[in-house]
Amino acid sequence: MQTSAEATHDGVLVDRLKAGDADAYETLVRDHIGRMLAVARRYLRSDEDAQDVVQEAFLAVFRGIDGFAGHARLSTWMHRIVVNAALMRIRKRSYTAEKPIDDLLPTFLDDGHHAIEPQAWNVDAAQAIESAETRELVRDAIDQLPDGHRTVLLLRDIDGFDTGETAAALGISENAAKIRLHRARQALRQILDPHFSEEQS
Amino acid sequence: MTCKELVAFLNDYREQRLPADVAADLEKHLDLCPPCRAYLRSYEETIKLGRDAIATADDEACREMPEHLVEAILRLRGSARED
C-alpha cells in the first residue's frame, strides 16, 4: 500500500531522474542500495556475485526509468528488477548441481501412516526469532535447500511473488511452482525439526 | 484419508483450494491424529520463521552504505545514458 507521502516522494524523485538530475540519481542509489544488496545476497551465495547483480539491477533501473509509469512504488519496481537479475545469475552459473530434495521430505509406511511421527514444536516463531542464533540457524537451513526449491521458497514466502509470477520468473509451470513450494517448506521444516521439536528440548 | 494424503494436500488446504468434501475429510483426520496436527503447526511455524529470519537480515543490511559500490553504480549511469 502506497501512502500519499511516499507517492509524492517517488513522483518528485522520478521526475528529477527523468530530467537527468545527478543528485537525484545519487539519492536513488543511496536510498535503495542496502535493500537491493540484501535481496541479491539471499539468492546468491557469494557477496561478489550479489554486488555484481546489484550493479546490473541499477543499470536496468537507469535504462528503464523513462518508461516507469508510477503504477507501482519505485521500491517495488526495483525489487522485481534485482530479483530477476539474481535469478538470471543463478541460471547462468547453474550454481551447484541440483541436489535431490527427496531425502528431506517426510516418509510414510505402506499404509500411509507417518514413518516417523512428527512431534509438536516447542517454539513460538515470533519469540524464537528474537535470538540471533535462531535467525542464523533458519538462514543456514534455507541455504541448504537445492537451488530450484530454494528460489521458489524465497520468491513465494519472502519476496511476495504469487504463483503465476514465480512460474514466469523461473520459466516453469504454475503447477511445478506449487509443488516445489510445498516440498521446499517441508524440507525446511525437516531441517529445522531437530532444533525445535519437543522431544529434543 | 491417510497421513500421507493429508501431508500432500496440506498447502492446498491452507490456501483453501480443496473441494469442500476433501477439506472436510482432512479436518476429520486432523481431529483424530495428533502427529498430523503437529505437522501442520510446525509447517506453519516454518513459514513464519523463514520470513522473520530474512526480514531481520534485510533490516540489518539496509543500514549498509558500501561507498565503492555506490560510486561504481553512479559511474554506470554514464554508460546507461550513452545507449
Side-chain angles (χ1 to χ4, degrees), chain A residues 72-182:
Chain A
R73 277 179 65 176
L74 192 55
S75 57
T76 307
W77 178 64
M78 292 174 72
H79 179 220
R80 297 276 151 145
I81 289 176
V82 71
V83 167
N84 281 311
L87 292 174
M88 203 179 295
R89 174 67 57 118
I90 291 177
R91 265 202 297 275
K92 258 190 220 155
R93 289 261 166 120
S94 62
Y95 253 56
T96 47
E98 190 80 345
K99 289 178 287 184
I101 200 165
D102 304 36
D103 292 349
L104 293 171
L105 297 179
T107 49
F108 299 92
L109 305 174
D110 287 344
D111 66 3
H113 281 93
H114 295 275
I116 302 165
E117 283 198 353
Q119 305 292 315
W121 278 13
N122 182 19
V123 61
D124 166 17
Q127 218 173 4
I129 219 67
E130 295 284 314
S131 130
E133 203 183 319
T134 306
R135 294 198 295 268
E136 191 64 34
L137 176 78
V138 175
R139 279 178 231 145
D140 280 352
I142 293 173
D143 274 344
Q144 288 176 43
L145 299 175
D147 278 341
H149 289 80
R150 192 175 56 94
T151 47
V152 171
L153 182 97
L154 291 173
L155 288 167
R156 291 282 281 109
D157 283 347
I158 314 290
D159 285 302
F161 281 49
D162 67 25
T163 301
E165 291 165 338
T166 301
L170 294 173
I172 60 178
S173 71
E174 290 200 10
N175 199 42
K178 278 184 204 163
I179 292 169
R180 280 196 207 176
L181 174 65
H182 187 38

Side-chain angles (χ1 to χ4, degrees), chain A residues 20-22 25-26 29-31 33-35 37-39 41-42 51 54-56 58-59 62-63 106 108 111-114 117-121 123-126 128-129 134-135 138-139 142 154 156-158 163 178 181-182 185-186 188-189 192 196, chain B residues 2-12 14-15 17 29 33-36 38-39 41-43 45-74 76-77 79-81 83:
Chain A
D21 177 340
Y25 277 87
E26 184 161 354
V29 174
R30 290 189 182 278
D31 281 357
I33 195 165
R35 190 155 290 273
L37 259 177
V39 174
R41 279 188 190 133
R42 65 173 166 255
Q51 296 203 14
V54 168
Q55 292 199 38
E56 287 167 20
F58 269 107
L59 187 58
F62 297 163
R63 285 178 172 150
F108 299 92
D111 66 3
H113 281 93
H114 295 275
E117 283 198 353
Q119 305 292 315
W121 278 13
V123 61
D124 166 17
I129 219 67
T134 306
R135 294 198 295 268
V138 175
R139 279 178 231 145
I142 293 173
L154 291 173
R156 291 282 281 109
D157 283 347
I158 314 290
T163 301
K178 278 184 204 163
L181 174 65
H182 187 38
R185 287 169 171 169
Q186 290 182 85
L188 183 58
R189 185 209 156 276
L192 295 174
F196 294 129
Chain B
T2 64
C3 301
K4 184 178 182 176
E5 288 166 330
L6 180 137
V7 168
F9 290 147
L10 201 59
N11 199 42
D12 286 333
R14 291 178 61 256
E15 295 182 359
R17 281 197 309 248
H29 180 115
C33 183
C36 279
Y39 195 86
R41 282 285 311 278
S42 56
Y43 185 94
E45 289 291 326
T46 297
I47 298 169
K48 279 191 233 150
L49 284 166
R51 258 183 212 145
D52 292 352
I54 300 279
T56 48
D58 278 11
D59 291 343
E60 287 159 22
C62 285
R63 291 193 288 271
E64 271 182 64
M65 190 62 69
E67 289 299 330
H68 70 281
L69 193 57
V70 172
E71 281 162 28
I73 290 166
L74 288 172
L76 284 177
R77 200 196 134 211
S79 62
R81 296 174 76 200
D83 289 340

